Amino acid sequence: MRDATEVLLGFARLLRHAGVDASPERVQTFLEATDEVDVTVPQEVYWAGRLTLCGEPDDLPTYDRAFAAYFGEDPPEHAGRTRPSTPRTTYLLQADGEQAEGEETGSEQVTTASSTEVLRHRDVTQLSAAERAELRRLLTLVWPIAPTRVSRRLRRAHRGQVDVARTVRRMLRTGGEVAVLAHRTQGRKPRRLVLLVDVSGSMRPYADALLRFAHAAVRRRPASTEVFTVGTRLTRVSHELQLRDPDQALAASAEAIPDWSGGTRLGEALKAFLDRWGQRGTARQAIVVVFSDGWERGDATLLGEQMGRLSRLARRVIWVNPHKGRVGFAPLTAGMVAALPHVDEFVAGHSLAALEELVEAIRQR
Amino acid sequence: MTESPKAESPKELTAALADTGYLADEGLATAAWLAYRLRRPLFLEGDAGVGKTSLAEAVATVLGAHLTRLQCYEGLDASQALYDWDFPRQLLHVRAIEAAASVSGEQVDADELEASLYDRKFLIARPLLQAIERAPSVLLVDEVDRADDEFEAFLLEVLSESAISVPELGRIEAAHPPVVVLTSNRTREVHDALKRRCLYHWVEHPSYEREVAILRARLPDVTERLAEQVAQATRRLRELELVKPPGVAEAIDWAGALHALGARELHPDLAAVTLGAVLKYREDGDRVKEYSLGALIGVPE
């Protein structure tokens, strides 16, 4: 018979291995909680652990499995609308025929002004390895930031409403003599920027450049930028893209994205975004950028409906379609036709120059 | 806090909550009980209308404690959440003393005057300070995800110390740490440091039996048949992938509306005219009408 604490600690260890953030502090609370419940009743141990060791809905299915495996007891019946955990697959982001590492050559420098100019207008899928490296370097220099909005918080100013508290404080200092009036006015905050990047098969050639663009945006304004990839399912990669180094950030998000190059179910992914994030506040009064060619498998009605919802929530919706830069392009795919009525701006994003135009579009008030 | 005789175990707390009209399931009752016993803040997440906020109200009733509510919003700052000095009153105080001195011809001691300005009576207590000064109390920090990072930082300080430091006055400590309930709708990821201090619970929609019981407890005059039908229909609505799935609050509103119309049971015509109590989006109403109201409430149209 092992000592109870050891058994409980073993369980916490198992959870950590399963990917739940059961930090020492949480484990300590877990032990305190088991002192308060009847440890001979499996249900009570279940709740004591779940309440103290888990930190978000995604932890719950993992916890249930770990509990069943470790204690050999089924979790108590609760109406589990728990989400299935997503299988993780790892891909390295690279275009075909390119080595991932160690191929960086210093000999093929593409840095003359004229060649940079040519590079800026070339479609990102038509570049040689050296040009691609140069493009990646240039992409770290773009500044996609959303315009500011009026914030609720007031700050000191030279005019505006009288700041009674500060004025009186000044007067207190001078024993109540009427001093200079202090003013305050409304401050400004960056508006939220939401990027939805389509990583399905037809968008694959552009995914690397677009995610690097997204990385630049997250690095500029980490607190007010959200990035999601849409393909067959929706994945939030804002957190992964916060890493300073673009290559590391991309590798981390590649690991998080389970549906590279699958088919597109854009309407469904968009609905998932709006239900889980957008409606609750992420898209409200935000600048939302959708990177997609609108290649929707099946019926585009859902996509149209969801784009309508999005346009009613967001401040502005910008649609970026890399094919728009091609000669003779017309937005004829069913998805594009359904989406365009709800889009404020429709731009191309096939080259560095086009992405710079997009930066301008994002910055507009 | 004094040991409440009503909550010796999760089961007793469940019973005590039920007496106030709040029917908690095992998980939620255990969560509330541990929060009370371990003095840990309870962090509740879940869909809108599953009863996160009303739990705090019910717990306050059970403990006979005062409920202090802090509704979060973007830009909420320390002077609105912790405390603020009542400057105009301080100024009047200075003037009054000066006036009195000039009449009596006494000298006013500047240091003494300044010290008298920063007295507790000139401090305006905002919700967090109120919760700490009043014992026993339950502090509800509602929709913490709507506040910003700066707010989380000083909330963390208050929660871990159960005390507030006012530079001019010193530390104000809670005689008994308040029971703290935080709610979030996940519009933003709340900082890990804050979550780690808390017990975490994801609140589900109630089971069918529980929902019927909640309706009966909240609306004693509603017929059992009507309560069952409303609970059943609400469950079906939650499966329809609506923009805004109805919560318990909506089910209670709906049953109340039907009861006000004198209904003893639900039928499609009644459902059609009262859908506005449960569905808050036009698209949802359209979707349900496509699906057929008869199927929704389980009677042929």
PDB file of all heavy atoms in Angstrom, chain A residues 266-300:
ATOM      1  N   LEU A 266     -14.168  26.539 -45.846  1.00  0.00           N
ATOM      2  CA  LEU A 266     -14.002  27.904 -45.373  1.00  0.00           C
ATOM      3  C   LEU A 266     -15.197  28.367 -44.552  1.00  0.00           C
ATOM      4  O   LEU A 266     -15.040  28.948 -43.484  1.00  0.00           O
ATOM      5  CB  LEU A 266     -13.839  28.808 -46.607  1.00  0.00           C
ATOM      6  CG  LEU A 266     -13.070  30.091 -46.420  1.00  0.00           C
ATOM      7  CD1 LEU A 266     -11.741  29.835 -45.765  1.00  0.00           C
ATOM      8  CD2 LEU A 266     -12.869  30.764 -47.771  1.00  0.00           C
ATOM      9  N   GLY A 267     -16.396  28.077 -45.064  1.00  0.00           N
ATOM     10  CA  GLY A 267     -17.617  28.507 -44.369  1.00  0.00           C
ATOM     11  C   GLY A 267     -17.670  27.952 -42.960  1.00  0.00           C
ATOM     12  O   GLY A 267     -17.947  28.665 -41.995  1.00  0.00           O
ATOM     13  N   GLU A 268     -17.347  26.651 -42.844  1.00  0.00           N
ATOM     14  CA  GLU A 268     -17.426  26.007 -41.524  1.00  0.00           C
ATOM     15  C   GLU A 268     -16.368  26.553 -40.575  1.00  0.00           C
ATOM     16  O   GLU A 268     -16.632  26.810 -39.396  1.00  0.00           O
ATOM     17  CB  GLU A 268     -17.240  24.497 -41.662  1.00  0.00           C
ATOM     18  CG  GLU A 268     -18.504  23.807 -42.130  1.00  0.00           C
ATOM     19  CD  GLU A 268     -18.248  22.337 -42.413  1.00  0.00           C
ATOM     20  OE1 GLU A 268     -17.511  21.708 -41.623  1.00  0.00           O
ATOM     21  OE2 GLU A 268     -18.766  21.839 -43.418  1.00  0.00           O
ATOM     22  N   ALA A 269     -15.136  26.729 -41.126  1.00  0.00           N
ATOM     23  CA  ALA A 269     -14.062  27.246 -40.272  1.00  0.00           C
ATOM     24  C   ALA A 269     -14.394  28.658 -39.810  1.00  0.00           C
ATOM     25  O   ALA A 269     -14.148  29.035 -38.662  1.00  0.00           O
ATOM     26  CB  ALA A 269     -12.738  27.227 -41.033  1.00  0.00           C
ATOM     27  N   LEU A 270     -14.970  29.448 -40.702  1.00  0.00           N
ATOM     28  CA  LEU A 270     -15.336  30.817 -40.365  1.00  0.00           C
ATOM     29  C   LEU A 270     -16.424  30.826 -39.289  1.00  0.00           C
ATOM     30  O   LEU A 270     -16.401  31.630 -38.364  1.00  0.00           O
ATOM     31  CB  LEU A 270     -15.844  31.526 -41.628  1.00  0.00           C
ATOM     32  CG  LEU A 270     -15.889  33.039 -41.596  1.00  0.00           C
ATOM     33  CD1 LEU A 270     -14.531  33.613 -41.246  1.00  0.00           C
ATOM     34  CD2 LEU A 270     -16.324  33.580 -42.956  1.00  0.00           C
ATOM     35  N   LYS A 271     -17.357  29.875 -39.427  1.00  0.00           N
ATOM     36  CA  LYS A 271     -18.431  29.777 -38.427  1.00  0.00           C
ATOM     37  C   LYS A 271     -17.832  29.418 -37.067  1.00  0.00           C
ATOM     38  O   LYS A 271     -18.195  29.995 -36.040  1.00  0.00           O
ATOM     39  CB  LYS A 271     -19.449  28.709 -38.843  1.00  0.00           C
ATOM     40  CG  LYS A 271     -20.598  28.574 -37.854  1.00  0.00           C
ATOM     41  CD  LYS A 271     -21.675  27.649 -38.390  1.00  0.00           C
ATOM     42  CE  LYS A 271     -22.911  27.659 -37.517  1.00  0.00           C
ATOM     43  NZ  LYS A 271     -22.669  27.514 -36.080  1.00  0.00           N
ATOM     44  N   ALA A 272     -16.873  28.472 -37.084  1.00  0.00           N
ATOM     45  CA  ALA A 272     -16.222  28.081 -35.827  1.00  0.00           C
ATOM     46  C   ALA A 272     -15.526  29.290 -35.208  1.00  0.00           C
ATOM     47  O   ALA A 272     -15.597  29.521 -33.998  1.00  0.00           O
ATOM     48  CB  ALA A 272     -15.209  26.967 -36.082  1.00  0.00           C
ATOM     49  N   PHE A 273     -14.865  30.094 -36.059  1.00  0.00           N
ATOM     50  CA  PHE A 273     -14.187  31.280 -35.544  1.00  0.00           C
ATOM     51  C   PHE A 273     -15.196  32.245 -34.910  1.00  0.00           C
ATOM     52  O   PHE A 273     -15.000  32.736 -33.805  1.00  0.00           O
ATOM     53  CB  PHE A 273     -13.409  31.988 -36.654  1.00  0.00           C
ATOM     54  CG  PHE A 273     -13.021  33.400 -36.302  1.00  0.00           C
ATOM     55  CD1 PHE A 273     -12.034  33.633 -35.367  1.00  0.00           C
ATOM     56  CD2 PHE A 273     -13.669  34.487 -36.873  1.00  0.00           C
ATOM     57  CE1 PHE A 273     -11.684  34.931 -35.007  1.00  0.00           C
ATOM     58  CE2 PHE A 273     -13.327  35.785 -36.520  1.00  0.00           C
ATOM     59  CZ  PHE A 273     -12.333  36.005 -35.585  1.00  0.00           C
ATOM     60  N   LEU A 274     -16.294  32.483 -35.619  1.00  0.00           N
ATOM     61  CA  LEU A 274     -17.268  33.458 -35.114  1.00  0.00           C
ATOM     62  C   LEU A 274     -17.930  32.960 -33.840  1.00  0.00           C
ATOM     63  O   LEU A 274     -18.145  33.718 -32.902  1.00  0.00           O
ATOM     64  CB  LEU A 274     -18.321  33.751 -36.186  1.00  0.00           C
ATOM     65  CG  LEU A 274     -17.805  34.580 -37.355  1.00  0.00           C
ATOM     66  CD1 LEU A 274     -18.800  34.573 -38.503  1.00  0.00           C
ATOM     67  CD2 LEU A 274     -17.530  36.011 -36.915  1.00  0.00           C
ATOM     68  N   ASP A 275     -18.239  31.664 -33.795  1.00  0.00           N
ATOM     69  CA  ASP A 275     -18.908  31.117 -32.612  1.00  0.00           C
ATOM     70  C   ASP A 275     -17.997  31.142 -31.394  1.00  0.00           C
ATOM     71  O   ASP A 275     -18.416  31.511 -30.301  1.00  0.00           O
ATOM     72  CB  ASP A 275     -19.354  29.670 -32.854  1.00  0.00           C
ATOM     73  CG  ASP A 275     -20.562  29.608 -33.779  1.00  0.00           C
ATOM     74  OD1 ASP A 275     -21.160  30.666 -34.058  1.00  0.00           O
ATOM     75  OD2 ASP A 275     -20.890  28.506 -34.237  1.00  0.00           O
ATOM     76  N   ARG A 276     -16.733  30.731 -31.598  1.00  0.00           N
ATOM     77  CA  ARG A 276     -15.864  30.560 -30.430  1.00  0.00           C
ATOM     78  C   ARG A 276     -15.130  31.836 -30.062  1.00  0.00           C
ATOM     79  O   ARG A 276     -14.758  32.029 -28.910  1.00  0.00           O
ATOM     80  CB  ARG A 276     -14.859  29.446 -30.672  1.00  0.00           C
ATOM     81  CG  ARG A 276     -15.462  28.079 -30.435  1.00  0.00           C
ATOM     82  CD  ARG A 276     -14.464  26.977 -30.636  1.00  0.00           C
ATOM     83  NE  ARG A 276     -13.308  27.090 -29.755  1.00  0.00           N
ATOM     84  CZ  ARG A 276     -12.259  26.280 -29.828  1.00  0.00           C
ATOM     85  NH1 ARG A 276     -12.238  25.337 -30.736  1.00  0.00           N
ATOM     86  NH2 ARG A 276     -11.251  26.430 -29.005  1.00  0.00           N
ATOM     87  N   TRP A 277     -14.867  32.687 -31.040  1.00  0.00           N
ATOM     88  CA  TRP A 277     -14.057  33.878 -30.766  1.00  0.00           C
ATOM     89  C   TRP A 277     -14.734  35.168 -31.186  1.00  0.00           C
ATOM     90  O   TRP A 277     -14.875  36.094 -30.401  1.00  0.00           O
ATOM     91  CB  TRP A 277     -12.699  33.772 -31.478  1.00  0.00           C
ATOM     92  CG  TRP A 277     -11.893  32.645 -30.992  1.00  0.00           C
ATOM     93  CD1 TRP A 277     -11.877  31.368 -31.474  1.00  0.00           C
ATOM     94  CD2 TRP A 277     -10.979  32.660 -29.886  1.00  0.00           C
ATOM     95  NE1 TRP A 277     -11.001  30.604 -30.751  1.00  0.00           N
ATOM     96  CE2 TRP A 277     -10.430  31.370 -29.772  1.00  0.00           C
ATOM     97  CE3 TRP A 277     -10.560  33.654 -28.997  1.00  0.00           C
ATOM     98  CZ2 TRP A 277      -9.504  31.054 -28.799  1.00  0.00           C
ATOM     99  CZ3 TRP A 277      -9.633  33.330 -28.029  1.00  0.00           C
ATOM    100  CH2 TRP A 277      -9.111  32.037 -27.935  1.00  0.00           C
ATOM    101  N   GLY A 278     -15.094  35.213 -32.473  1.00  0.00           N
ATOM    102  CA  GLY A 278     -15.532  36.483 -33.050  1.00  0.00           C
ATOM    103  C   GLY A 278     -16.692  37.120 -32.324  1.00  0.00           C
ATOM    104  O   GLY A 278     -16.636  38.273 -31.911  1.00  0.00           O
ATOM    105  N   GLN A 279     -17.760  36.325 -32.162  1.00  0.00           N
ATOM    106  CA  GLN A 279     -18.978  36.833 -31.557  1.00  0.00           C
ATOM    107  C   GLN A 279     -18.727  37.324 -30.135  1.00  0.00           C
ATOM    108  O   GLN A 279     -19.345  38.272 -29.678  1.00  0.00           O
ATOM    109  CB  GLN A 279     -20.003  35.692 -31.536  1.00  0.00           C
ATOM    110  CG  GLN A 279     -21.357  36.083 -31.035  1.00  0.00           C
ATOM    111  CD  GLN A 279     -22.271  36.448 -32.185  1.00  0.00           C
ATOM    112  OE1 GLN A 279     -22.159  35.898 -33.268  1.00  0.00           O
ATOM    113  NE2 GLN A 279     -23.162  37.372 -31.949  1.00  0.00           N
ATOM    114  N   ARG A 280     -17.803  36.665 -29.449  1.00  0.00           N
ATOM    115  CA  ARG A 280     -17.594  36.994 -28.038  1.00  0.00           C
ATOM    116  C   ARG A 280     -16.762  38.240 -27.849  1.00  0.00           C
ATOM    117  O   ARG A 280     -16.615  38.734 -26.746  1.00  0.00           O
ATOM    118  CB  ARG A 280     -16.891  35.831 -27.337  1.00  0.00           C
ATOM    119  CG  ARG A 280     -17.783  34.626 -27.262  1.00  0.00           C
ATOM    120  CD  ARG A 280     -16.982  33.457 -26.777  1.00  0.00           C
ATOM    121  NE  ARG A 280     -17.823  32.290 -26.555  1.00  0.00           N
ATOM    122  CZ  ARG A 280     -17.334  31.130 -26.180  1.00  0.00           C
ATOM    123  NH1 ARG A 280     -16.044  30.994 -25.993  1.00  0.00           N
ATOM    124  NH2 ARG A 280     -18.123  30.108 -25.985  1.00  0.00           N
ATOM    125  N   GLY A 281     -16.170  38.730 -28.915  1.00  0.00           N
ATOM    126  CA  GLY A 281     -15.435  39.971 -28.730  1.00  0.00           C
ATOM    127  C   GLY A 281     -14.212  40.125 -29.612  1.00  0.00           C
ATOM    128  O   GLY A 281     -13.794  41.229 -29.894  1.00  0.00           O
ATOM    129  N   THR A 282     -13.616  38.988 -30.046  1.00  0.00           N
ATOM    130  CA  THR A 282     -12.376  39.107 -30.798  1.00  0.00           C
ATOM    131  C   THR A 282     -12.563  39.886 -32.101  1.00  0.00           C
ATOM    132  O   THR A 282     -11.700  40.650 -32.496  1.00  0.00           O
ATOM    133  CB  THR A 282     -11.813  37.702 -31.099  1.00  0.00           C
ATOM    134  OG1 THR A 282     -11.778  36.987 -29.883  1.00  0.00           O
ATOM    135  CG2 THR A 282     -10.426  37.778 -31.663  1.00  0.00           C
ATOM    136  N   ALA A 283     -13.700  39.691 -32.767  1.00  0.00           N
ATOM    137  CA  ALA A 283     -13.896  40.374 -34.053  1.00  0.00           C
ATOM    138  C   ALA A 283     -14.621  41.705 -33.920  1.00  0.00           C
ATOM    139  O   ALA A 283     -14.707  42.458 -34.874  1.00  0.00           O
ATOM    140  CB  ALA A 283     -14.673  39.460 -35.006  1.00  0.00           C
ATOM    141  N   ARG A 284     -15.156  41.968 -32.741  1.00  0.00           N
ATOM    142  CA  ARG A 284     -15.939  43.198 -32.581  1.00  0.00           C
ATOM    143  C   ARG A 284     -15.102  44.443 -32.820  1.00  0.00           C
ATOM    144  O   ARG A 284     -14.091  44.650 -32.162  1.00  0.00           O
ATOM    145  CB  ARG A 284     -16.523  43.257 -31.164  1.00  0.00           C
ATOM    146  CG  ARG A 284     -17.895  42.671 -31.093  1.00  0.00           C
ATOM    147  CD  ARG A 284     -18.449  42.658 -29.697  1.00  0.00           C
ATOM    148  NE  ARG A 284     -19.308  41.496 -29.558  1.00  0.00           N
ATOM    149  CZ  ARG A 284     -20.531  41.426 -30.040  1.00  0.00           C
ATOM    150  NH1 ARG A 284     -21.037  42.440 -30.689  1.00  0.00           N
ATOM    151  NH2 ARG A 284     -21.248  40.341 -29.887  1.00  0.00           N
ATOM    152  N   GLN A 285     -15.555  45.259 -33.754  1.00  0.00           N
ATOM    153  CA  GLN A 285     -14.884  46.528 -34.066  1.00  0.00           C
ATOM    154  C   GLN A 285     -13.409  46.318 -34.394  1.00  0.00           C
ATOM    155  O   GLN A 285     -12.598  47.211 -34.190  1.00  0.00           O
ATOM    156  CB  GLN A 285     -15.035  47.508 -32.882  1.00  0.00           C
ATOM    157  CG  GLN A 285     -16.443  48.051 -32.727  1.00  0.00           C
ATOM    158  CD  GLN A 285     -16.884  48.868 -33.930  1.00  0.00           C
ATOM    159  OE1 GLN A 285     -16.159  49.689 -34.451  1.00  0.00           O
ATOM    160  NE2 GLN A 285     -18.095  48.599 -34.415  1.00  0.00           N
ATOM    161  N   ALA A 286     -13.062  45.153 -34.923  1.00  0.00           N
ATOM    162  CA  ALA A 286     -11.669  44.882 -35.264  1.00  0.00           C
ATOM    163  C   ALA A 286     -11.474  45.064 -36.772  1.00  0.00           C
ATOM    164  O   ALA A 286     -12.432  45.164 -37.523  1.00  0.00           O
ATOM    165  CB  ALA A 286     -11.302  43.451 -34.877  1.00  0.00           C
ATOM    166  N   ILE A 287     -10.207  45.130 -37.182  1.00  0.00           N
ATOM    167  CA  ILE A 287      -9.894  45.062 -38.599  1.00  0.00           C
ATOM    168  C   ILE A 287      -9.651  43.576 -38.876  1.00  0.00           C
ATOM    169  O   ILE A 287      -8.765  42.979 -38.271  1.00  0.00           O
ATOM    170  CB  ILE A 287      -8.594  45.840 -38.927  1.00  0.00           C
ATOM    171  CG1 ILE A 287      -8.647  47.237 -38.337  1.00  0.00           C
ATOM    172  CG2 ILE A 287      -8.331  45.837 -40.419  1.00  0.00           C
ATOM    173  CD1 ILE A 287      -9.479  48.226 -39.075  1.00  0.00           C
ATOM    174  N   VAL A 288     -10.445  42.960 -39.743  1.00  0.00           N
ATOM    175  CA  VAL A 288     -10.300  41.529 -39.997  1.00  0.00           C
ATOM    176  C   VAL A 288      -9.789  41.323 -41.420  1.00  0.00           C
ATOM    177  O   VAL A 288     -10.335  41.890 -42.375  1.00  0.00           O
ATOM    178  CB  VAL A 288     -11.641  40.789 -39.832  1.00  0.00           C
ATOM    179  CG1 VAL A 288     -11.463  39.299 -40.072  1.00  0.00           C
ATOM    180  CG2 VAL A 288     -12.199  41.028 -38.433  1.00  0.00           C
ATOM    181  N   VAL A 289      -8.698  40.552 -41.553  1.00  0.00           N
ATOM    182  CA  VAL A 289      -8.133  40.275 -42.869  1.00  0.00           C
ATOM    183  C   VAL A 289      -8.266  38.786 -43.154  1.00  0.00           C
ATOM    184  O   VAL A 289      -7.829  37.959 -42.354  1.00  0.00           O
ATOM    185  CB  VAL A 289      -6.635  40.672 -42.925  1.00  0.00           C
ATOM    186  CG1 VAL A 289      -6.103  40.504 -44.339  1.00  0.00           C
ATOM    187  CG2 VAL A 289      -6.453  42.105 -42.462  1.00  0.00           C
ATOM    188  N   VAL A 290      -8.892  38.447 -44.276  1.00  0.00           N
ATOM    189  CA  VAL A 290      -9.028  37.044 -44.662  1.00  0.00           C
ATOM    190  C   VAL A 290      -8.090  36.792 -45.833  1.00  0.00           C
ATOM    191  O   VAL A 290      -8.194  37.457 -46.869  1.00  0.00           O
ATOM    192  CB  VAL A 290     -10.474  36.721 -45.096  1.00  0.00           C
ATOM    193  CG1 VAL A 290     -10.620  35.234 -45.406  1.00  0.00           C
ATOM    194  CG2 VAL A 290     -11.454  37.140 -44.018  1.00  0.00           C
ATOM    195  N   PHE A 291      -7.126  35.861 -45.677  1.00  0.00           N
ATOM    196  CA  PHE A 291      -6.241  35.485 -46.772  1.00  0.00           C
ATOM    197  C   PHE A 291      -6.767  34.193 -47.372  1.00  0.00           C
ATOM    198  O   PHE A 291      -6.582  33.134 -46.773  1.00  0.00           O
ATOM    199  CB  PHE A 291      -4.821  35.189 -46.262  1.00  0.00           C
ATOM    200  CG  PHE A 291      -4.123  36.376 -45.647  1.00  0.00           C
ATOM    201  CD1 PHE A 291      -4.207  36.623 -44.289  1.00  0.00           C
ATOM    202  CD2 PHE A 291      -3.361  37.219 -46.432  1.00  0.00           C
ATOM    203  CE1 PHE A 291      -3.546  37.693 -43.721  1.00  0.00           C
ATOM    204  CE2 PHE A 291      -2.690  38.294 -45.861  1.00  0.00           C
ATOM    205  CZ  PHE A 291      -2.783  38.538 -44.510  1.00  0.00           C
ATOM    206  N   SER A 292      -7.412  34.271 -48.538  1.00  0.00           N
ATOM    207  CA  SER A 292      -7.925  33.031 -49.115  1.00  0.00           C
ATOM    208  C   SER A 292      -8.260  33.252 -50.583  1.00  0.00           C
ATOM    209  O   SER A 292      -8.527  34.377 -51.012  1.00  0.00           O
ATOM    210  CB  SER A 292      -9.172  32.572 -48.375  1.00  0.00           C
ATOM    211  OG  SER A 292      -9.740  31.475 -49.056  1.00  0.00           O
ATOM    212  N   ASP A 293      -8.254  32.163 -51.359  1.00  0.00           N
ATOM    213  CA  ASP A 293      -8.662  32.284 -52.757  1.00  0.00           C
ATOM    214  C   ASP A 293     -10.152  31.971 -52.903  1.00  0.00           C
ATOM    215  O   ASP A 293     -10.676  31.937 -53.999  1.00  0.00           O
ATOM    216  CB  ASP A 293      -7.827  31.348 -53.639  1.00  0.00           C
ATOM    217  CG  ASP A 293      -7.850  29.923 -53.120  1.00  0.00           C
ATOM    218  OD1 ASP A 293      -8.583  29.663 -52.145  1.00  0.00           O
ATOM    219  OD2 ASP A 293      -7.138  29.075 -53.677  1.00  0.00           O
ATOM    220  N   GLY A 294     -10.827  31.742 -51.763  1.00  0.00           N
ATOM    221  CA  GLY A 294     -12.267  31.518 -51.810  1.00  0.00           C
ATOM    222  C   GLY A 294     -12.646  30.219 -52.497  1.00  0.00           C
ATOM    223  O   GLY A 294     -13.751  30.046 -52.989  1.00  0.00           O
ATOM    224  N   TRP A 295     -11.699  29.281 -52.542  1.00  0.00           N
ATOM    225  CA  TRP A 295     -11.957  28.000 -53.190  1.00  0.00           C
ATOM    226  C   TRP A 295     -12.716  27.118 -52.210  1.00  0.00           C
ATOM    227  O   TRP A 295     -12.131  26.433 -51.398  1.00  0.00           O
ATOM    228  CB  TRP A 295     -10.641  27.350 -53.602  1.00  0.00           C
ATOM    229  CG  TRP A 295     -10.831  26.163 -54.456  1.00  0.00           C
ATOM    230  CD1 TRP A 295     -10.742  24.858 -54.077  1.00  0.00           C
ATOM    231  CD2 TRP A 295     -11.162  26.153 -55.845  1.00  0.00           C
ATOM    232  NE1 TRP A 295     -11.007  24.033 -55.128  1.00  0.00           N
ATOM    233  CE2 TRP A 295     -11.276  24.809 -56.237  1.00  0.00           C
ATOM    234  CE3 TRP A 295     -11.407  27.159 -56.804  1.00  0.00           C
ATOM    235  CZ2 TRP A 295     -11.605  24.426 -57.543  1.00  0.00           C
ATOM    236  CZ3 TRP A 295     -11.722  26.783 -58.092  1.00  0.00           C
ATOM    237  CH2 TRP A 295     -11.822  25.437 -58.448  1.00  0.00           C
ATOM    238  N   GLU A 296     -14.038  27.160 -52.284  1.00  0.00           N
ATOM    239  CA  GLU A 296     -14.867  26.460 -51.311  1.00  0.00           C
ATOM    240  C   GLU A 296     -15.382  25.175 -51.915  1.00  0.00           C
ATOM    241  O   GLU A 296     -15.981  25.185 -52.978  1.00  0.00           O
ATOM    242  CB  GLU A 296     -16.046  27.366 -50.908  1.00  0.00           C
ATOM    243  CG  GLU A 296     -17.021  26.764 -49.930  1.00  0.00           C
ATOM    244  CD  GLU A 296     -16.500  26.728 -48.502  1.00  0.00           C
ATOM    245  OE1 GLU A 296     -15.296  26.500 -48.332  1.00  0.00           O
ATOM    246  OE2 GLU A 296     -17.295  26.913 -47.574  1.00  0.00           O
ATOM    247  N   ARG A 297     -15.128  24.064 -51.250  1.00  0.00           N
ATOM    248  CA  ARG A 297     -15.684  22.801 -51.747  1.00  0.00           C
ATOM    249  C   ARG A 297     -17.156  22.756 -51.380  1.00  0.00           C
ATOM    250  O   ARG A 297     -17.514  22.990 -50.223  1.00  0.00           O
ATOM    251  CB  ARG A 297     -14.964  21.625 -51.108  1.00  0.00           C
ATOM    252  CG  ARG A 297     -13.682  21.311 -51.845  1.00  0.00           C
ATOM    253  CD  ARG A 297     -13.371  19.863 -51.722  1.00  0.00           C
ATOM    254  NE  ARG A 297     -12.467  19.686 -50.581  1.00  0.00           N
ATOM    255  CZ  ARG A 297     -12.146  18.501 -50.106  1.00  0.00           C
ATOM    256  NH1 ARG A 297     -12.660  17.413 -50.589  1.00  0.00           N
ATOM    257  NH2 ARG A 297     -11.318  18.400 -49.102  1.00  0.00           N
ATOM    258  N   GLY A 298     -17.983  22.431 -52.359  1.00  0.00           N
ATOM    259  CA  GLY A 298     -19.406  22.310 -52.047  1.00  0.00           C
ATOM    260  C   GLY A 298     -20.090  23.673 -52.074  1.00  0.00           C
ATOM    261  O   GLY A 298     -19.658  24.603 -52.747  1.00  0.00           O
ATOM    262  N   ASP A 299     -21.143  23.768 -51.280  1.00  0.00           N
ATOM    263  CA  ASP A 299     -22.041  24.904 -51.321  1.00  0.00           C
ATOM    264  C   ASP A 299     -21.442  26.134 -50.638  1.00  0.00           C
ATOM    265  O   ASP A 299     -20.887  26.034 -49.549  1.00  0.00           O
ATOM    266  CB  ASP A 299     -23.338  24.483 -50.600  1.00  0.00           C
ATOM    267  CG  ASP A 299     -24.422  25.513 -50.812  1.00  0.00           C
ATOM    268  OD1 ASP A 299     -24.236  26.388 -51.677  1.00  0.00           O
ATOM    269  OD2 ASP A 299     -25.445  25.425 -50.112  1.00  0.00           O
ATOM    270  N   ALA A 300     -21.526  27.282 -51.280  1.00  0.00           N
ATOM    271  CA  ALA A 300     -20.923  28.483 -50.710  1.00  0.00           C
ATOM    272  C   ALA A 300     -21.920  29.323 -49.909  1.00  0.00           C
ATOM    273  O   ALA A 300     -21.582  30.403 -49.452  1.00  0.00           O
ATOM    274  CB  ALA A 300     -20.314  29.333 -51.817  1.00  0.00           C
TER     275      ALA A 300
END
